[in-house]
Amino acid sequence: MNRPVRVRFAPSPTGFLHVGGLRTALYNYCFARANGGRFVLRIEDTDRTRFVPGAVEDILSSLQWAGIAHDEGPGAGGEYGPYFQSERLDLYREAVEALIRSGHAYPCFCNEDRLHAMREQLKKRGLSTKYDRACLGLSRDEAETRRAAGEAHVIRLRIPDEPFVRIDDLVRGEVEIASEILDDQVLLKSDGFPTYHLANVVDDHAMEITHVIRGEEWLPSAPKHLLLYRFFGWEAPRFAHLPLLLGTDRSKLSKRQAEVAVSDYRRHGFFPEALVNFVAFLGWNPGDEREIFSLAELVREFRIERVNKSGAIFNLEKLHWFNQQYMQRRPAERTIQELRVILADRGWGGIDESYLSGIVELMRERVTFIAEIPERAPWFFVDPTEYEEATVKKRWKKESAALLRGILPALGECEPFEAAAIEATVTRCAETAGVGKADLIHPLRLACTGVGGGPGLYELMAVLGRETCLRRIDRALEILV
Ligand code: GLU
């Protein structure tokens, strides 16, 4: 097959984009980019009963947030559109008529009651509940007459009488599926809408898709798809079925174990780079110890042959770790901008750029999310009004007030008011007073922040600035006598 590479991500708008979908989109994207191909986004919206309002918008905005841009599809245009299946219905109807003519599909007039009774019967006898092919016995003329008269019916695929359907999967290798387990799949429903199987194959062909990269849950459908390609006389794409996502207990990942919607992670404050890097590793690895990969690096390194067969464990702790890594690596300006938005929400607007930059510099190694900065260190933004009780008990000694009073003038003159000079001032004052540095450091920290922990004292004092530090020390001296 020497066609130019074209792959697609084909979500159904039956819910918001979940992390498994993000992984499928990412692998498709990487594969297309690495092979000079095109990445198509197609919305498979033929199941009207399961349509969720807002889902299409969520899929588009989540992909955009993650930086996974499609070359063709909604919002991007392209020559193979429309890219919503609901706008392609004629194509499916024509295709199904061709299959009826060639004897690979047949109309079925059985209603729900009959099908239900049939299944119950088969179940009782311990048999598989496949369709019993009652309508396959109808003559073509009779079937056509009943259709022409407008009788409700579906169109079914006729599974051939051959022992196996074989798939050569890029991830799983050769897979054989016994035909006898395949049902005569409904291709066109009585409302004239295609089922997923028909629409998917017709569109993958029409859009000249060369590689179908999708979740393993679709592997059982692949034989039906291959049969359809054969019956239509079309060249089938190559398939790659990606391993299932598992919870830490190795059961299929579900809402119970972790949030599954990408937009939930986004709202939580995860960085897109971190989530993308994390999902890249759900079923793939570069074969060495490296773990931090930008999207561009993933494109360079990703090989579909390196995707694992076995289920990929979704470990939330690891995702937190990735976020921390990116917190430290991403450009500080972006963090500052985002911090500004979070602070404004809390009513702390209009803060000086260099002040925020100092905060980010000190805090980014200590937090996983930007929102943690004001949560963990609100004292950067407001003077403490209370002092952590346990710390006061442990750190505020009889002589603390006198020591702080003693250092006030020296801090007033400390030039420049930067970490090294502040440290020198503290050292000098401790020596003069004949105490250890710690006797000054702890009460100073308590006075400036109200708490016992946080970034380095000299650094945080430098960021707070002289005026704020002196004001806070004065205040503590009033309250903590
Ligand atoms: N519409 C299917 C889904 O929602 C697409 C499966 C496929 O990629 O073939 O996952």
Side-chain angles (χ1 to χ4, degrees):
M1 176 165 42
N2 282 324
R3 297 187 276 154
V5 166
R6 291 177 55 82
V7 294
R8 80 321 187 258
F9 176 49
S12 303
T14 51
F16 287 5
L17 182 68
H18 55 81
V19 282
L22 182 68
R23 182 192 60 176
T24 303
L26 173 66
Y27 287 11
N28 273 287
Y29 172 89
C30 290
F31 188 81
R33 287 285 173 280
N35 291 289
R38 305 273 289 170
F39 173 48
V40 178
L41 176 65
R42 181 175 73 225
I43 305 294
E44 302 208 322
D45 59 346
T46 58
D47 190 348
R48 307 312 285 173
T49 55
R50 293 178 58 219
F51 182 80
V52 170
V56 172
E57 292 74 12
D58 179 83
I59 292 166
L60 291 173
S61 66
S62 297
L63 288 176
Q64 191 184 24
W65 172 75
I68 302 175
H70 51 282
D71 304 307
E72 290 173 31
E79 289 166 27
Y80 294 78
Y83 293 92
F84 283 83
Q85 287 190 325
S86 56
E87 295 169 21
R88 304 170 62 85
L89 299 178
D90 287 346
L91 224 62
Y92 313 131
R93 289 182 193 139
E94 278 162 32
V96 98
E97 290 306 325
L99 283 185
I100 297 174
R101 281 196 300 275
S102 62
H104 294 300
Y106 60 95
C108 165
F109 301 89
C110 296
N111 60 25
E112 260 321 305
D113 291 344
R114 165 159 204 278
L115 291 174
H116 182 75
M118 172 206 83
R119 284 192 210 107
E120 288 304 304
Q121 276 286 328
L122 290 170
K123 232 189 264 169
K124 250 188 236 151
R125 291 162 50 201
L127 298 173
S128 119
T129 55
K130 284 191 318 186
Y131 177 56
D132 64 1
R133 295 187 151 175
C135 289
L136 189 57
L138 299 174
S139 73
R140 242 184 228 205
D141 281 351
E142 183 183 352
E144 279 317 309
T145 314
R146 287 170 71 175
R147 283 183 86 194
E151 189 173 336
H153 65 281
V154 300
I155 307 293
R156 288 182 183 274
L157 172 66
R158 181 180 176 174
I159 300 289
D161 307 320
E162 57 190 64
F164 295 107
V165 182
R166 260 189 208 98
I167 308 162
D168 185 15
D169 192 272
L170 287 166
V171 174
R172 313 195 61 90
E174 190 133 301
V175 184
E176 271 187 352
I177 306 219
S179 305
E180 64 172 15
I181 64 164
L182 301 176
D183 201 353
D184 278 2
Q185 177 67 50
V186 173
L187 298 176
L188 202 70
K189 294 178 280 186
S190 53
D191 61 4
F193 275 82
T195 56
Y196 151 73
H197 306 280
L198 175 68
N200 191 266
V201 166
V202 167
D203 283 345
D204 281 346
H205 172 70
M207 296 183 179
E208 297 188 30
I209 298 302
T210 54
H211 296 78
V212 167
I213 305 170
R214 63 184 173 192
E216 190 180 299
E217 62 274 27
W218 300 106
L219 185 61
S221 302
K224 294 175 194 168
H225 300 172
L226 279 173
L227 288 173
L228 282 169
Y229 282 104
R230 198 206 297 166
F231 297 157
F232 282 124
W234 297 337
E235 183 179 357
R238 298 295 311 271
F239 287 93
H241 287 93
L242 310 175
L244 288 179
L245 297 191
L246 307 176
T248 37
D249 61 356
R250 302 201 69 90
S251 65
K252 190 165 182 253
L253 187 70
S254 70
K255 268 208 165 120
R256 259 183 312 107
Q257 293 149 327
E259 307 221 80
V260 287
V262 169
S263 43
D264 287 333
Y265 290 97
R266 178 182 182 178
R267 204 168 322 112
H268 209 97
F270 284 99
F271 302 125
E273 310 88 297
L275 189 61
V276 164
N277 198 152
F278 170 72
V279 300
F281 274 77
L282 295 174
W284 170 88
N285 66 71
D288 54 37
E289 297 300 303
R290 288 170 304 154
E291 292 191 283
I292 302 296
F293 286 84
S294 67
L295 193 52
E297 286 163 339
L298 285 172
V299 166
R300 264 205 308 278
E301 301 271 342
F302 180 81
R303 298 278 172 282
I304 198 86
E305 299 76 23
R306 287 205 57 84
V307 172
N308 308 317
K309 288 197 204 33
S310 52
I313 305 227
F314 187 95
N315 180 346
L316 207 51
E317 269 172 40
K318 189 74 192 186
L319 175 56
H320 278 87
W321 179 83
F322 273 114
N323 221 57
Q324 262 163 11
Q325 296 299 312
Y326 280 95
M327 176 71 85
Q328 289 165 40
R329 286 160 206 254
R330 71 204 297 266
E333 304 80 65
R334 279 176 59 197
T335 303
I336 293 171
Q337 263 177 29
E338 289 160 36
L339 174 61
R340 207 179 261 297
V341 175
I342 292 171
L343 293 176
D345 266 359
R346 291 186 156 215
W348 296 333
I351 301 176
D352 188 68
E353 186 78 9
S354 66
Y355 188 62
L356 291 183
S357 151
I359 294 172
V360 166
E361 176 79 11
L362 284 189
M363 292 301 288
R364 67 175 162 195
E365 293 195 354
R366 304 186 137 71
V367 294
T368 306
F369 302 104
I370 299 176
E372 270 180 88
I373 296 178
E375 273 158 27
R376 306 239 319 245
W379 44 265
F380 271 124
F381 312 99
V382 278
D383 287 359
T385 49
E386 285 167 15
Y387 301 88
E388 204 170 61
E389 219 178 287
T391 311
V392 175
K393 227 181 238 164
K394 189 160 165 213
R395 304 292 192 194
W396 190 264
K397 310 259 165 63
K398 301 201 286 308
E399 63 282 9
S400 295
L403 286 170
L404 285 197
R405 264 189 210 103
I407 201 176
L408 268 175
L411 285 176
E413 281 160 19
C414 167
E415 279 305 337
F417 199 77
E418 282 170 8
I422 299 172
E423 177 168 17
T425 306
V426 170
T427 310
R428 198 162 21 87
C429 289
E431 274 166 15
T432 315
V435 296
K437 260 162 93 172
D439 294 319
L440 265 172
I441 289 176
H442 296 305
L444 268 178
R445 177 185 290 282
L446 190 62
C448 290
T449 69
V451 293
L457 175 69
Y458 311 125
E459 288 78 11
L460 78 84
M461 285 178 70
V463 170
L464 286 173
R466 188 196 317 271
E467 207 188 302
T468 301
C469 291
L470 296 185
R471 182 179 67 241
R472 291 184 180 184
I473 296 170
D474 274 338
R475 175 88 189 255
L477 284 170
E478 277 168 30
I479 297 178
L480 289 172
V481 277

